[in-house]
Amino acid sequence: MPSYNQQSAVTVLGLGPMGRALAGAFLDAGLRVTVWNRTPGRDKELVARGAVSALTAAEAVAASPLSVLCVVNYDAADTIVRPDAVAAALKGRTLVNLTADTPGRARDTAAWAAEHGIGYLDGAIMTPTPTIGTPHAVFLHSGPEDLYREHSAVLDALGGTHTHLGPDIGRAASYDIALLDLFWTSMAGYAHALAVARAEGITAGELAPFAKGIAAILPAIIDESVADVDQRIFSGDGNPLSSAVSSMSHIVDAAEEHGIDSGVMRAAEGLGRRAMGRGFGASSFLRIIDILDPARADS
Ligand code: NDP
């Protein structure tokens, strides 16, 4: 049995694909859900399932002790919650902002919330909409521990795993940025691989089983890199940076023979060559962290 009261109320501001998924999961969990979106009409299905449609954002946040905000970015979030009427309605209540943006914007919003007597938690959603309400959803949260504990039962209704990363309000956004960095640079690499494969007459379908094999190597590499990076060991045993750079130069050569833009691969190869120039040829590839961020190279 869920530990929240089935009559607990929650408001969802923002009904894009993610906001609708969040509101739907709250409804499925039996909560009393109020919804609002800038563009009217996006709540039809939710209302048919029992959600209450608010005419204004102020009316929406007044309906529940907890409001969850999920829109495209913090510029949009600001236009929704910072008007006086909404801020006044939020006073003494809690706002959980699951909108993605930078850690700086999260900290700025927390300062604004504190000035207005609003409890504020920031969060990040690390999985796509179909996972919401299922065990596969992943949520990261940051902000005051007691406030998080107060609302965690309602947030748990969204399914999946919820991790509170500590009181630094920017922490969830920091994880989000780092993890999306990994995701998008990986996707850029995959797009480049598909272009090279296509030029050689290999379809995405033919490459897929082997591409998945490459992706499956990464979890072990991530585990091994923990000591490498956190203790600054950068052991190149088994796969030194010099060998990695040689491998990357083959990819650049093969791609450019086909007239394929190799900017993505050249960027990685260039970082490796600069690290070799600094005498790190025998280190692991991850030594390029110090080339990317020389200011913290000795910290
Ligand atoms: P979008 O990022 O496209 O956000 C759409 C929502 O933002 C709508 O409610 C839209 O309102 C609102 N919006 C946009 N501009 C404004 C504005 N100027 N003023 C007020 N509201 C505005 O789609 P999602 O719902 O998918 O994403 C929401 C958040 O969730 C984003 O931060 C995204 O990064 C994050 N996220 C999404 C995932 C996904 O799988 N979709 C996965 C993980 C995180 P309107 O309908 O009026 O245009």
Side-chain angles (χ1 to χ4, degrees), residues 188-189 192 251-252 255-256 260-271:
H192 191 260
I251 300 164
V252 170
E256 292 186 352
I260 293 168
D261 183 330
S262 288
V264 166
M265 198 68 246
R266 273 191 176 279
E269 186 207 17
L271 289 162

Side-chain angles (χ1 to χ4, degrees), residues 4 8 12 30 44 61 74 79 84 86 94 115 117 120 128 155 160 199 217 223 226-227 235 241 256 269 279 291 294:
Y4 55 81
S8 291
V12 178
K44 280 200 185 93
V61 301
Y74 277 54
T79 66
D84 290 346
V86 185
T94 299
E115 277 168 28
Y120 185 70
L155 294 170
I217 294 169
D223 281 338
V226 171
S235 164
L241 191 131
E256 292 186 352
E269 186 207 17
I291 305 296

Side-chain angles (χ1 to χ4, degrees), residues 159-173:
T161 58
H162 293 256
T163 306
H164 183 251
L165 298 167
D168 170 10
I169 198 76
R171 196 111 173 131

Side-chain angles (χ1 to χ4, degrees), residues 13-22 36-40 42 69-80 98-101 124-130 132 138 176 180:
L13 301 168
L15 299 175
M18 185 52 86
R20 291 198 299 273
L22 299 172
W36 176 87
N37 190 61
R38 175 185 63 169
T39 305
R42 303 231 198 280
L69 173 62
C70 190
V71 288
V72 63
N73 56 33
Y74 277 54
D75 283 344
D78 285 353
T79 66
I80 294 169
L98 297 180
T99 302
D101 213 313
I125 306 169
M126 302 316 309
T127 50
T129 53
I132 305 304
V138 175
D176 189 40
L180 290 176

